[in-house]
Amino acid sequence: MEHKEKRIVIDDKSLPFTDGETILDVAKRNHIDIPTLCHLKGSMPTGACRICMVDVAGARTLLTACTVPVEDGMTVRTETPEIIRSRRMTIELMLSSGRHDDCLVCPSSGSCRLQELAFRYKVKGASFKDTGVTYPMEAVNPFILRDFSKCILCGRCVQVCNEVQVNEAIDFGYRGAQTKIITKGDLPLKDSDCVFCGECVQVCPVAALVPRDARMVPRISETEPVRTTCSYCGVGCQMNLHVKSNRVWHVSGCEEAAPNFGSLCVKGRYAFDFIASDRRLTTPLIKENGSFREASWGEALDLTARRLKEIAGVHADAVGVLTSARVTNEENYVAQKFTRTVLKTNNVDHCARL
Ligand code: SF4
Ligand code: SF4
Ligand code: SF4
Ligand code: FES
């Protein structure tokens, strides 16, 4: 029997699909833009934000594209006057909840998804009564600033913490207008199970979760991303250094690249201050009579070679070499070759085993 390909029509385009795909999956694959806020790639769709509403022929109401599985013969429109009205109202409701009247000084301005959608749908501001619930900013940890007056309760942070990183440090807490993202017991992050991977900061579409120093440094939207590989361990996570004026201000994981697909650990994401630190050594130091003095590379290398030769000449096993996960495979190879063939000892090890 001839196999008939299943198809769906989105905005007059007839498109094939495979079972299990949602309307959003098919639209994305075919470069049809349906706005999303709560949708998080690789996680169970929650349908929390209602911004991805589309018109499915025969349905009684608009449906969320991120949750509805496609069916053979389905006909969908992604932007009608009714959809635009619905999206505007959703954005107005979000703007009415919490404090979004200070985009000018907000650290996420320029990269905020809510700001972008408000502009796209020509929403002038909050038009519903504020819930009146306010939250103090939480800044009692070295990495993350939590400002729930900007939270739109999209749930992306909860999903990424629980489903992607599997740290299970945060969840929805309280009820109704009091609903808030909390740790167990609503403790500050520093007293919770949080490991400060910063994954929740990367996926937060607004400024509810930002790096601790976000109000003192250039906004991410003012920087240029430079793709590189994390130098902290052998996993080889792909990251973007966000650079302005020849200085790194933020780090984010590359969402499209293996092996990490956007994830980073606390070191890769936050431990980059050393790059611009004025405490970095820029010249070799030689210790004499208990204190260090600056030396040239030539002098330092000559001294090191002479002393290694003297010590190894007496007893080869009195010297050893420790290599590093922060250098390349080739450099580690050369270091062990040097140790075995020049210093004539097998005392060679690697910092990953310390
Ligand atoms: S979070 Fe977004 S919408 Fe809210 S103030 Fe900041 S830039 Fe504006
Ligand atoms: S930093 Fe990581 S562990 Fe902590 S709440 Fe965010 S996602 Fe969870
Ligand atoms: S903190 Fe950010 S990611 Fe988490 S629910 Fe609020 S807006 Fe969404
Ligand atoms: S993106 Fe579909 S409901 Fe939020």
Side-chain angles (χ1 to χ4, degrees):
M1 199 172 79
E2 197 188 330
H3 174 71
K4 185 176 162 286
E5 188 180 49
K6 293 179 181 174
R7 299 186 82 86
I8 174 179
V9 176
I10 305 182
D11 294 344
D12 299 325
K13 290 192 192 80
S14 173
L15 305 163
F17 67 90
T18 46
D19 286 338
E21 283 190 300
T22 62
I23 297 171
L24 183 68
D25 292 332
V26 181
K28 271 186 181 250
R29 192 156 37 73
N30 291 283
H31 310 289
I32 297 169
D33 181 28
I34 299 175
T36 61
L37 267 167
C38 68
H39 178 72
L40 182 70
K41 199 171 150 194
S43 295
M44 280 295 288
T46 59
C49 76
R50 326 303 286 174
I51 201 76
C52 66
M53 291 293 207
V54 290
D55 185 327
V56 177
R60 279 184 298 131
T61 58
L62 297 179
L63 300 177
T64 47
C66 68
T67 61
V68 174
V70 280
E71 285 170 22
D72 196 21
M74 206 179 225
T75 303
V76 178
R77 300 218 75 89
T78 65
E79 196 130 307
T80 62
E82 189 191 2
I83 292 169
I84 291 172
R85 260 196 312 280
S86 157
R87 288 184 188 155
R88 270 196 193 131
M89 188 181 291
T90 300
I91 297 164
E92 285 170 5
L93 279 164
M94 287 176 182
L95 291 171
S96 306
S97 164
R99 220 186 58 244
H100 293 285
D101 55 357
D102 59 350
C103 287
L104 286 179
V105 290
C106 178
S108 291
S109 185
S111 57
C112 173
R113 188 84 175 118
L114 183 58
Q115 187 187 53
E116 181 194 328
L117 290 174
F119 181 80
R120 171 168 165 180
Y121 289 104
K122 299 183 178 49
V123 175
K124 294 199 180 66
S127 50
F128 293 90
K129 196 168 171 294
D130 188 357
T131 55
V133 182
T134 57
Y135 302 100
M137 243 184 248
E138 183 192 309
V140 287
N141 70 72
F143 306 108
I144 299 174
L145 190 68
R146 301 167 91 200
D147 180 0
F148 289 117
S149 62
K150 300 211 179 293
C151 177
I152 56 170
L153 294 171
C154 67
R156 281 164 68 91
C157 56
V158 172
Q159 283 199 294
V160 89
C161 187
N162 296 336
E163 293 180 35
V164 179
Q165 293 292 68
V166 202
N167 288 327
E168 301 184 354
I170 49 174
D171 208 337
F172 285 90
Y174 307 108
R175 290 287 178 272
Q178 311 284 333
T179 305
K180 181 189 165 202
I181 306 302
I182 59 164
T183 62
K184 294 182 191 90
D186 200 6
L187 298 171
L189 275 185
K190 74 173 175 56
D191 301 320
S192 74
D193 294 334
C194 174
V195 297
F196 294 105
C197 63
E199 197 84 351
C200 52
V201 177
Q202 178 158 330
V203 302
C204 181
V206 291
L209 298 171
V210 291
R212 176 78 165 73
D213 59 357
R215 287 162 189 271
M216 274 97 71
V217 301
R219 290 171 170 137
I220 209 159
S221 56
E222 297 165 29
T223 61
E224 286 293 325
V226 178
R227 168 98 174 256
T228 188
T229 304
C230 181
S231 60
Y232 273 112
C233 82
V235 172
C237 288
Q238 295 301 296
M239 51 167 52
N240 286 311
L241 305 180
H242 295 269
V243 177
K244 185 180 180 186
S245 307
N246 203 29
R247 184 163 171 180
V248 177
W249 300 100
H250 305 273
V251 171
S252 63
C254 290
E255 286 174 11
E256 70 285 3
N260 51 315
F261 296 104
S263 298
L264 291 172
C265 74
V266 62
K267 292 184 292 178
R269 195 181 297 280
Y270 292 118
F272 59 87
D273 282 2
F274 70 92
I275 302 171
S277 170
D278 55 9
R279 296 176 60 207
R280 278 184 80 157
L281 295 183
T282 51
T283 52
L285 300 175
I286 291 177
K287 199 173 195 178
E288 278 174 354
N289 304 322
S291 55
F292 286 106
R293 70 165 173 83
E294 290 193 353
S296 68
W297 279 104
E299 186 189 5
L301 288 170
D302 283 350
L303 174 69
T304 310
R306 182 162 52 76
R307 291 294 292 135
L308 279 174
K309 213 168 165 185
E310 282 168 13
I311 298 165
V314 178
H315 195 333
D317 278 341
V319 295
V321 171
L322 289 174
T323 62
S324 172
R326 288 155 185 71
V327 300
T328 62
N329 281 339
E330 290 77 7
E331 285 161 330
N332 277 318
Y333 176 81
V334 167
Q336 69 81 28
K337 201 75 180 162
F338 172 78
T339 311
R340 295 189 210 279
T341 58
V342 178
L343 297 178
K344 301 206 183 323
T345 175
N346 289 323
N347 288 345
V348 57
D349 211 334
H350 185 279
C351 71
R353 296 182 354 115
L354 298 183

